[in-house]
Structures are given as structure tokens and as C-alpha cells.
Short mmCIF file of all heavy atoms in Angstrom, two decimals:
data_model
loop_
_atom_site.label_atom_id
_atom_site.label_comp_id
_atom_site.label_asym_id
_atom_site.label_seq_id
_atom_site.Cartn_x
_atom_site.Cartn_y
_atom_site.Cartn_z
N SER A 6 6.60 0.10 -23.59
CA SER A 6 5.43 -0.49 -22.90
C SER A 6 5.83 -1.43 -21.79
O SER A 6 5.18 -1.49 -20.71
CB SER A 6 4.52 -1.19 -23.88
OG SER A 6 5.16 -2.31 -24.49
N LYS A 7 6.94 -2.14 -21.97
CA LYS A 7 7.49 -3.04 -20.94
C LYS A 7 7.88 -2.23 -19.70
O LYS A 7 7.64 -2.56 -18.56
CB LYS A 7 8.67 -3.84 -21.50
CG LYS A 7 9.14 -4.91 -20.55
CD LYS A 7 8.12 -6.04 -20.38
CE LYS A 7 8.67 -7.12 -19.52
NZ LYS A 7 7.68 -8.12 -19.21
N LYS A 8 8.57 -1.07 -19.96
CA LYS A 8 9.08 -0.22 -18.89
C LYS A 8 7.84 0.34 -18.10
O LYS A 8 7.88 0.34 -16.85
CB LYS A 8 9.85 0.95 -19.53
CG LYS A 8 10.63 1.81 -18.56
CD LYS A 8 11.26 2.94 -19.31
CE LYS A 8 12.69 3.08 -18.98
NZ LYS A 8 13.37 4.17 -19.72
N LYS A 9 6.82 0.80 -18.80
CA LYS A 9 5.65 1.32 -18.16
C LYS A 9 4.91 0.26 -17.36
O LYS A 9 4.39 0.50 -16.26
CB LYS A 9 4.69 1.94 -19.15
CG LYS A 9 5.15 3.33 -19.68
CD LYS A 9 4.11 3.91 -20.62
CE LYS A 9 4.58 5.27 -21.07
NZ LYS A 9 3.63 5.89 -21.96
N GLU A 10 4.90 -0.98 -17.91
CA GLU A 10 4.22 -2.08 -17.24
C GLU A 10 4.92 -2.38 -15.88
O GLU A 10 4.26 -2.61 -14.89
CB GLU A 10 4.27 -3.33 -18.14
CG GLU A 10 3.65 -4.55 -17.49
CD GLU A 10 3.95 -5.86 -18.27
OE1 GLU A 10 4.32 -5.76 -19.47
OE2 GLU A 10 3.78 -6.94 -17.71
N MET A 11 6.26 -2.36 -15.95
CA MET A 11 7.03 -2.62 -14.74
C MET A 11 6.77 -1.54 -13.68
O MET A 11 6.62 -1.84 -12.47
CB MET A 11 8.51 -2.70 -15.05
CG MET A 11 8.90 -3.81 -15.98
SD MET A 11 8.63 -5.46 -15.26
CE MET A 11 10.10 -5.57 -14.32
N ARG A 12 6.74 -0.28 -14.08
CA ARG A 12 6.47 0.85 -13.20
C ARG A 12 5.08 0.71 -12.58
O ARG A 12 4.96 0.85 -11.35
CB ARG A 12 6.58 2.17 -13.93
CG ARG A 12 6.44 3.34 -13.04
CD ARG A 12 6.09 4.65 -13.74
NE ARG A 12 4.72 4.59 -14.13
CZ ARG A 12 4.04 5.59 -14.77
NH1 ARG A 12 4.70 6.64 -15.17
NH2 ARG A 12 2.80 5.46 -15.02
N ASN A 13 4.09 0.43 -13.39
CA ASN A 13 2.71 0.27 -12.93
C ASN A 13 2.61 -0.85 -11.90
O ASN A 13 1.91 -0.74 -10.88
CB ASN A 13 1.74 0.09 -14.07
CG ASN A 13 1.61 1.29 -14.93
OD1 ASN A 13 2.07 2.38 -14.57
ND2 ASN A 13 1.01 1.15 -16.06
N LYS A 14 3.22 -1.97 -12.23
CA LYS A 14 3.17 -3.14 -11.36
C LYS A 14 3.85 -2.84 -10.00
O LYS A 14 3.32 -3.25 -8.97
CB LYS A 14 3.90 -4.33 -12.07
CG LYS A 14 3.56 -5.67 -11.47
CD LYS A 14 4.26 -6.78 -12.22
CE LYS A 14 3.56 -7.05 -13.52
NZ LYS A 14 4.08 -8.29 -14.20
N ALA A 15 4.95 -2.12 -10.01
CA ALA A 15 5.65 -1.80 -8.78
C ALA A 15 4.79 -0.88 -7.90
O ALA A 15 4.67 -1.06 -6.73
CB ALA A 15 6.99 -1.11 -9.09
N ILE A 16 4.14 0.12 -8.54
CA ILE A 16 3.33 1.06 -7.78
C ILE A 16 2.06 0.32 -7.22
O ILE A 16 1.68 0.55 -6.07
CB ILE A 16 2.92 2.24 -8.63
CG1 ILE A 16 4.20 3.06 -8.92
CG2 ILE A 16 1.89 3.13 -7.95
CD1 ILE A 16 4.06 4.23 -9.92
N LYS A 17 1.42 -0.53 -8.01
CA LYS A 17 0.25 -1.26 -7.54
C LYS A 17 0.67 -2.18 -6.40
O LYS A 17 -0.10 -2.30 -5.41
CB LYS A 17 -0.37 -2.12 -8.68
CG LYS A 17 -1.26 -1.37 -9.53
CD LYS A 17 -1.99 -2.32 -10.46
CE LYS A 17 -3.00 -1.54 -11.34
NZ LYS A 17 -3.79 -2.40 -12.19
N SER A 18 1.79 -2.79 -6.47
CA SER A 18 2.28 -3.67 -5.44
C SER A 18 2.50 -2.88 -4.16
O SER A 18 2.13 -3.30 -3.04
CB SER A 18 3.56 -4.34 -5.86
OG SER A 18 4.09 -5.11 -4.83
N LYS A 19 3.09 -1.69 -4.25
CA LYS A 19 3.32 -0.83 -3.11
C LYS A 19 2.02 -0.41 -2.42
O LYS A 19 1.93 -0.45 -1.20
CB LYS A 19 4.09 0.42 -3.57
CG LYS A 19 4.57 1.32 -2.42
CD LYS A 19 5.40 2.44 -2.94
CE LYS A 19 5.97 3.26 -1.82
NZ LYS A 19 6.80 4.36 -2.30
N VAL A 20 1.03 -0.05 -3.24
CA VAL A 20 -0.29 0.28 -2.70
C VAL A 20 -0.90 -0.88 -1.95
O VAL A 20 -1.43 -0.71 -0.83
CB VAL A 20 -1.24 0.78 -3.83
CG1 VAL A 20 -2.66 0.88 -3.34
CG2 VAL A 20 -0.77 2.14 -4.37
N LYS A 21 -0.84 -2.08 -2.53
CA LYS A 21 -1.40 -3.29 -1.88
C LYS A 21 -0.75 -3.52 -0.53
O LYS A 21 -1.42 -3.85 0.44
CB LYS A 21 -1.22 -4.49 -2.78
CG LYS A 21 -2.19 -4.52 -3.95
CD LYS A 21 -1.90 -5.78 -4.81
CE LYS A 21 -2.69 -5.72 -6.10
NZ LYS A 21 -2.41 -6.84 -6.97
N THR A 22 0.62 -3.36 -0.49
CA THR A 22 1.34 -3.54 0.77
C THR A 22 0.86 -2.53 1.83
O THR A 22 0.69 -2.90 2.96
CB THR A 22 2.87 -3.38 0.48
OG1 THR A 22 3.24 -4.31 -0.49
CG2 THR A 22 3.66 -3.61 1.75
N LEU A 23 0.70 -1.30 1.41
CA LEU A 23 0.31 -0.25 2.37
C LEU A 23 -1.10 -0.50 2.85
O LEU A 23 -1.41 -0.25 4.06
CB LEU A 23 0.43 1.16 1.72
CG LEU A 23 1.87 1.59 1.42
CD1 LEU A 23 1.87 2.85 0.62
CD2 LEU A 23 2.63 1.78 2.73
N VAL A 24 -2.00 -0.97 1.99
CA VAL A 24 -3.36 -1.31 2.34
C VAL A 24 -3.36 -2.47 3.38
O VAL A 24 -4.10 -2.44 4.38
CB VAL A 24 -4.25 -1.63 1.14
CG1 VAL A 24 -5.59 -2.22 1.55
CG2 VAL A 24 -4.45 -0.43 0.29
N LYS A 25 -2.49 -3.45 3.15
CA LYS A 25 -2.36 -4.56 4.10
C LYS A 25 -1.93 -4.10 5.47
O LYS A 25 -2.36 -4.61 6.51
CB LYS A 25 -1.40 -5.61 3.57
CG LYS A 25 -1.99 -6.46 2.47
CD LYS A 25 -0.96 -7.45 1.96
CE LYS A 25 -1.45 -8.18 0.71
NZ LYS A 25 -0.42 -9.03 0.14
N LYS A 26 -1.02 -3.07 5.48
CA LYS A 26 -0.52 -2.53 6.76
C LYS A 26 -1.67 -1.86 7.48
O LYS A 26 -1.80 -1.98 8.74
CB LYS A 26 0.62 -1.51 6.55
CG LYS A 26 1.92 -2.18 6.24
CD LYS A 26 3.03 -1.16 6.09
CE LYS A 26 4.36 -1.85 5.72
NZ LYS A 26 5.44 -0.92 5.52
N VAL A 27 -2.50 -1.13 6.81
CA VAL A 27 -3.69 -0.52 7.40
C VAL A 27 -4.64 -1.58 7.95
O VAL A 27 -5.11 -1.51 9.13
CB VAL A 27 -4.45 0.39 6.44
CG1 VAL A 27 -5.73 0.96 7.05
CG2 VAL A 27 -3.58 1.52 5.95
N ASP A 28 -4.91 -2.62 7.17
CA ASP A 28 -5.78 -3.71 7.57
C ASP A 28 -5.22 -4.43 8.83
O ASP A 28 -5.99 -4.82 9.69
CB ASP A 28 -5.98 -4.70 6.44
CG ASP A 28 -6.85 -4.12 5.32
OD1 ASP A 28 -7.64 -3.15 5.60
OD2 ASP A 28 -6.77 -4.63 4.21
N ALA A 29 -3.93 -4.65 8.86
CA ALA A 29 -3.31 -5.31 10.02
C ALA A 29 -3.48 -4.45 11.28
O ALA A 29 -3.75 -5.01 12.33
CB ALA A 29 -1.82 -5.55 9.72
N ALA A 30 -3.32 -3.17 11.13
CA ALA A 30 -3.45 -2.28 12.32
C ALA A 30 -4.91 -2.26 12.77
O ALA A 30 -5.18 -2.23 13.98
CB ALA A 30 -3.03 -0.84 11.93
N ILE A 31 -5.87 -2.36 11.84
CA ILE A 31 -7.27 -2.37 12.16
C ILE A 31 -7.54 -3.69 12.91
O ILE A 31 -8.32 -3.68 13.91
CB ILE A 31 -8.12 -2.22 10.92
CG1 ILE A 31 -8.03 -0.80 10.33
CG2 ILE A 31 -9.61 -2.57 11.19
CD1 ILE A 31 -8.61 -0.64 8.93
N ALA A 32 -7.05 -4.77 12.41
CA ALA A 32 -7.28 -6.10 13.05
C ALA A 32 -6.76 -6.11 14.45
O ALA A 32 -7.35 -6.70 15.34
CB ALA A 32 -6.58 -7.21 12.22
N GLU A 33 -5.61 -5.45 14.71
CA GLU A 33 -5.07 -5.38 16.07
C GLU A 33 -5.88 -4.41 16.93
O GLU A 33 -5.79 -4.51 18.18
CB GLU A 33 -3.60 -4.84 16.00
CG GLU A 33 -2.61 -5.81 15.45
CD GLU A 33 -1.23 -5.19 15.31
OE1 GLU A 33 -0.98 -4.08 15.86
OE2 GLU A 33 -0.37 -5.83 14.63
N GLY A 34 -6.62 -3.51 16.33
CA GLY A 34 -7.36 -2.54 17.09
C GLY A 34 -6.51 -1.31 17.52
O GLY A 34 -6.92 -0.57 18.38
N ASN A 35 -5.40 -1.15 16.87
CA ASN A 35 -4.46 -0.08 17.20
C ASN A 35 -4.82 1.13 16.37
O ASN A 35 -4.39 1.24 15.20
CB ASN A 35 -3.03 -0.51 16.97
CG ASN A 35 -2.03 0.46 17.45
OD1 ASN A 35 -2.34 1.63 17.71
ND2 ASN A 35 -0.81 -0.01 17.61
N LYS A 36 -5.64 2.06 16.91
CA LYS A 36 -6.10 3.22 16.14
C LYS A 36 -5.02 4.18 15.68
O LYS A 36 -5.04 4.65 14.54
CB LYS A 36 -7.17 3.97 16.92
CG LYS A 36 -7.87 5.05 16.13
CD LYS A 36 -9.20 5.49 16.76
CE LYS A 36 -9.79 6.58 15.92
NZ LYS A 36 -10.98 6.18 15.22
N ALA A 37 -4.03 4.45 16.57
CA ALA A 37 -3.00 5.40 16.25
C ALA A 37 -2.16 4.86 15.11
O ALA A 37 -1.85 5.59 14.14
CB ALA A 37 -2.13 5.63 17.46
N GLU A 38 -1.80 3.61 15.15
CA GLU A 38 -1.00 2.99 14.09
C GLU A 38 -1.81 2.90 12.77
O GLU A 38 -1.26 3.19 11.70
CB GLU A 38 -0.56 1.58 14.50
CG GLU A 38 0.46 0.92 13.60
CD GLU A 38 0.82 -0.48 14.03
OE1 GLU A 38 1.10 -0.65 15.26
OE2 GLU A 38 0.89 -1.38 13.20
N ALA A 39 -3.11 2.61 12.88
CA ALA A 39 -3.98 2.55 11.68
C ALA A 39 -4.12 3.89 11.02
O ALA A 39 -4.04 4.01 9.81
CB ALA A 39 -5.36 2.01 12.11
N GLU A 40 -4.22 4.95 11.82
CA GLU A 40 -4.36 6.30 11.26
C GLU A 40 -3.06 6.73 10.55
O GLU A 40 -3.10 7.35 9.50
CB GLU A 40 -4.72 7.33 12.32
CG GLU A 40 -6.16 7.19 12.78
CD GLU A 40 -6.53 8.12 13.93
OE1 GLU A 40 -5.60 8.61 14.63
OE2 GLU A 40 -7.71 8.37 14.12
N ALA A 41 -1.91 6.38 11.14
CA ALA A 41 -0.64 6.72 10.52
C ALA A 41 -0.44 5.94 9.21
O ALA A 41 -0.05 6.53 8.20
CB ALA A 41 0.50 6.36 11.46
N ALA A 42 -0.81 4.67 9.21
CA ALA A 42 -0.71 3.86 7.99
C ALA A 42 -1.71 4.34 6.92
O ALA A 42 -1.40 4.33 5.74
CB ALA A 42 -0.99 2.39 8.33
N LEU A 43 -2.89 4.79 7.37
CA LEU A 43 -3.91 5.30 6.48
C LEU A 43 -3.41 6.52 5.74
O LEU A 43 -3.65 6.69 4.53
CB LEU A 43 -5.20 5.63 7.22
CG LEU A 43 -6.33 6.31 6.42
CD1 LEU A 43 -6.88 5.32 5.39
CD2 LEU A 43 -7.43 6.79 7.30
N LEU A 44 -2.75 7.40 6.47
CA LEU A 44 -2.22 8.64 5.86
C LEU A 44 -1.26 8.33 4.74
O LEU A 44 -1.35 8.92 3.63
CB LEU A 44 -1.52 9.46 6.93
CG LEU A 44 -1.19 10.92 6.60
CD1 LEU A 44 -2.47 11.72 6.42
CD2 LEU A 44 -0.36 11.53 7.68
N VAL A 45 -0.35 7.38 4.98
CA VAL A 45 0.67 6.99 3.96
C VAL A 45 -0.04 6.32 2.80
O VAL A 45 0.23 6.62 1.66
CB VAL A 45 1.71 6.06 4.60
CG1 VAL A 45 2.66 5.51 3.53
CG2 VAL A 45 2.48 6.75 5.70
N ALA A 46 -1.00 5.40 3.09
CA ALA A 46 -1.66 4.64 2.01
C ALA A 46 -2.52 5.59 1.18
O ALA A 46 -2.52 5.51 -0.09
CB ALA A 46 -2.61 3.61 2.63
#
């Protein structure tokens, strides 16, 4: 259960980071960068 918890935490953290990248690109108004980040997220 500890191993699964660590895996889940790492993946959730990765998703949050990718969402922040999309939000940052949106804030800048850079559509091309936002679309690329959106695809990955």
C-alpha cells in the first residue's frame, strides 16, 4: 500500500505540474504553447 501510495502521489503531482504549465501558457496568451501543453496534460 505504501508503494502504491507513492506511485499515485507521483502521478498526481506530475498532472498538477502539467496543468500549471497549461495555465501559465494561457496567462501569457500564447496559444501555440498552450495547445502543446494541453496535449501532454
Side-chain angles (χ1 to χ4, degrees):
S6 64
K7 187 70 176 171
K8 191 184 229 180
K9 285 184 179 181
E10 179 191 343
M11 297 294 279
R12 186 199 75 179
N13 292 349
K14 198 177 283 189
I16 293 172
K17 276 189 176 184
S18 177
K19 187 175 185 181
V20 168
K21 286 178 188 176
T22 302
L23 293 171
V24 169
K25 284 179 190 173
K26 284 183 181 177
V27 175
D28 289 337
I31 291 168
E33 289 175 10
N35 189 343
K36 188 163 178 110
E38 191 180 313
E40 286 175 342
L43 175 68
L44 193 66
V45 175

